[in-house]
Amino acid sequence: MATFSKTANLTLLALQSVAASTVVLGTAVSVADKLGGLVYVRFGRRSATAAGAGANIRIEASSKTSGDNTWYPIAIFTTAFATAEAEALTGTVNAGQKVCTLASTTNLTAGDVAFLDNSTIANSEWVRIKSVVTNTSVTVEDDLVNAQTSSTLYDSAEIYPPIQIPEGAIRLRAVADGSLFTQAFAIEVIYSTIDGIA
């Protein structure tokens, strides 16, 4: 039986904050010697205020090893932009915990994807709400990766289905186009590759 060799957790856009009305171009990476792979995209709110229009997150492939006039979109995700819910955590929720304490749970419901916005952006994370105790806490599906102290939980976060990297792609990049999105937002785009078959 064939065994695939893979490389995981590579970065197209590191977890970062994108300023209002800004476009961020990720660094191009070569996938010319790869058999394929998957791209994983996550979006989070950093303001509860309605943002005017959706941000467009593009995953692009190039047919050439260099040059910037050969980018073609293989996927475009347009985010929601309506008013979001923002609730501050009360106290510290340690890594490895699932229960996030909140003074208010207004508009938060089981199944919501949320973004825990940490003052150190790299320690922020995405969660999916499993259950809600009204005006006390939410329980999330998976343990937190990082301790969250005085972080803010925003609903209206988005986690998209993985995108296949075409076998014929030479280069790959991600673009976070927030040109019409009038509030700051968080973005993370990572990818994995199939490097060979043994």
Side-chain angles (χ1 to χ4, degrees), residues 3-37:
T3 301
F4 291 97
S5 60
K6 302 176 184 180
T7 303
N9 205 36
L10 302 165
T11 301
L12 286 175
L13 281 175
L15 173 54
Q16 62 189 276
S17 182
V18 177
S21 306
T22 300
V23 178
V24 174
L25 300 176
T27 302
V29 298
S30 174
V31 291
D33 61 348
K34 308 303 179 186
L35 300 179

Side-chain angles (χ1 to χ4, degrees), residues 56-154:
N56 288 313
I57 302 164
R58 302 194 311 271
I59 306 304
E60 298 179 331
S62 176
S63 60
K64 294 186 177 182
T65 57
S66 63
D68 290 326
N69 63 344
T70 59
W71 290 108
Y72 301 88
I74 56 176
I76 302 174
F77 298 113
T78 301
T79 71
F81 59 90
T83 301
E85 192 64 38
E87 300 295 346
L89 298 187
T90 56
T92 296
V93 182
N94 291 320
Q97 302 299 308
K98 292 185 174 75
V99 178
C100 301
T101 53
L102 302 162
S104 171
T105 57
T106 302
N107 295 325
L108 300 178
T109 59
D112 283 354
V113 177
F115 181 66
L116 280 171
D117 189 12
N118 192 295
S119 57
T120 301
I121 189 69
N123 291 334
S124 300
E125 53 192 296
W126 282 262
V127 297
R128 190 180 298 272
I129 296 173
K130 182 178 180 181
S131 61
V132 178
V133 177
T134 302
N135 296 334
T136 300
S137 65
V138 298
T139 298
V140 298
E141 290 183 355
D142 299 302
D143 292 343
L144 296 185
V145 175
N146 301 302
Q148 300 294 337
T149 302
S150 302
S151 300
T152 300
L153 185 147
Y154 290 97

